[in-house]
Amino acid sequence: MRWLSQWWNGLVFPLPGPVPVTERPPVSPPRPRVSPETEPIDITADVNTLVRLVNEQRGVSRTCQPMARLNYSAQIWAECMAENQRLEHRSPLPAGINGEIIAWGSYDAASTFQQWMNSPPHRAIMLDGRYRFCGFGRDGAYWCGVFAYYPWASSDQPSKQKAV
């Protein structure tokens, strides 16, 4: 095998004449990323709509609260999928995220929500009452929703008294 790599590395392929130099297309400036510092609490109308629709389906006792850190994570992933023009789940999920739903092809929150509701696995994640917190992100027609259960953040925590 060593001789093959030496042989391959030594090959020279002559070009049939001068290579024309073409100008590179102008590079567009990178899109600004969302960060927890620039968008700590303020969430978009699409995110508000998705949270409202999820909570309407869940019912009063199992509502999902939007969380800035989850919105940030979902937004970053939506941007990444749009940048790569590829719809895919993260593996493994980032720490603290227990469920992820993604979609492509719709430009409004209600249609995306309906896509997710029509898919049994996505529907199960959205309606799972164990997930108390959620976040959503969008870049064009790429959407991401993340769900988490943070036991230390819920109001029904057990007391922190030590056993005697």
Side-chain angles (χ1 to χ4, degrees):
M1 210 46 134
R2 185 175 175 178
W3 65 269
L4 181 61
S5 67
Q6 288 174 345
W7 173 79
W8 183 258
N9 289 335
L11 286 180
V12 177
F13 298 98
L15 296 172
V19 178
V21 178
T22 58
E23 289 187 29
R24 295 178 122 188
V27 178
S28 59
R31 291 186 308 227
R33 296 256 182 215
V34 176
S35 73
E37 291 80 30
T38 60
E39 192 175 336
I41 299 170
D42 186 29
I43 53 179
T44 64
D46 288 332
V47 173
N48 284 328
T49 301
L50 287 170
V51 170
R52 181 182 51 79
L53 291 169
V54 167
N55 285 335
E56 284 175 3
Q57 289 295 317
R58 282 182 167 208
V60 178
S61 63
R62 303 179 310 144
T63 60
C64 182
Q65 299 173 26
M67 185 178 258
R69 142 183 349 177
L70 296 178
N71 286 333
Y72 173 70
S73 178
Q75 182 64 36
I76 290 298
W77 191 244
E79 290 177 7
C80 184
M81 289 189 299
E83 209 170 272
N84 296 318
Q85 296 183 353
R86 192 165 156 178
L87 185 69
E88 65 182 336
H89 286 283
R90 290 177 275 192
S91 181
L93 288 174
I97 295 177
N98 306 107
E100 176 181 77
I101 56 178
I102 58 176
W104 175 81
S106 176
Y107 287 93
D108 67 286
S111 298
T112 301
F113 178 76
Q114 199 54 53
Q115 278 181 304
W116 285 330
M117 288 300 285
N118 292 339
S119 164
H122 292 97
R123 180 185 179 97
I125 290 172
M126 284 195 305
L127 300 183
D128 190 336
R130 293 175 298 173
Y131 300 138
R132 304 286 305 268
F133 301 93
C134 60
F136 296 96
R138 170 190 176 198
D139 190 343
Y142 289 87
W143 297 76
C144 180
V146 293
F147 295 84
Y149 171 68
Y150 295 114
W152 62 85
S154 69
S155 59
D156 50 69
Q157 297 184 56
S159 63
K160 296 185 179 184
Q161 295 177 346
K162 292 183 179 179
V164 182

